[in-house]
Amino acid sequence: YVYFYNYTDEDEEISSAISSKLSNEKVYKVNTNDAFNNKYISEESNKKAKKLEELKVKAPTVIKVTGETIEAYYEGEEITKNLK
């Protein structure tokens, strides 16, 4: 899993849900406020992306990646509602 969010404006409810629901999974955290990650950040997300090079997110977003394929994409409130 990859969790995209702004480190300086963290949503505690979403972060808590990720910590509890994905406690047995490896979760990589990406700071959307870091210039290094700009190529993935956009005002309009691409939820239909299947490959990493197609990925565009707006924070907060959680994606499940296997190999180079995006298997699940959750944004905002969808994160707390859909994570298992």
Side-chain angles (χ1 to χ4, degrees):
Y1 287 87
V2 183
Y3 177 29
F4 292 86
Y5 70 104
N6 182 335
Y7 284 17
T8 60
D9 190 26
E10 182 176 4
D11 184 314
E12 292 295 329
E13 182 180 353
I14 291 174
S15 292
S16 178
I18 290 168
S19 293
S20 65
K21 293 181 179 184
L22 299 178
S23 62
N24 294 326
E25 303 287 341
K26 180 68 177 169
V27 178
Y28 298 93
K29 296 180 179 181
V30 177
N31 185 357
T32 58
N33 205 33
D34 187 328
F36 180 76
N37 301 313
N38 278 348
K39 66 181 178 179
Y40 300 111
I41 311 308
S42 175
E43 289 297 316
E44 191 170 322
S45 57
N46 181 10
K47 291 184 176 188
K48 295 181 180 182
K50 294 297 177 193
K51 297 181 179 181
L52 294 178
E53 56 268 5
E54 300 170 349
L55 183 64
K56 293 291 181 196
V57 302
K58 56 183 182 178
T61 299
V62 172
I63 60 172
K64 181 178 182 181
V65 179
T66 301
E68 292 187 18
T69 304
I70 298 169
E71 293 189 6
Y73 185 112
Y74 306 116
E75 190 174 275
E77 291 179 8
E78 297 171 341
I79 296 169
T80 55
K81 292 178 184 176
N82 294 298
L83 286 181
K84 298 176 178 159

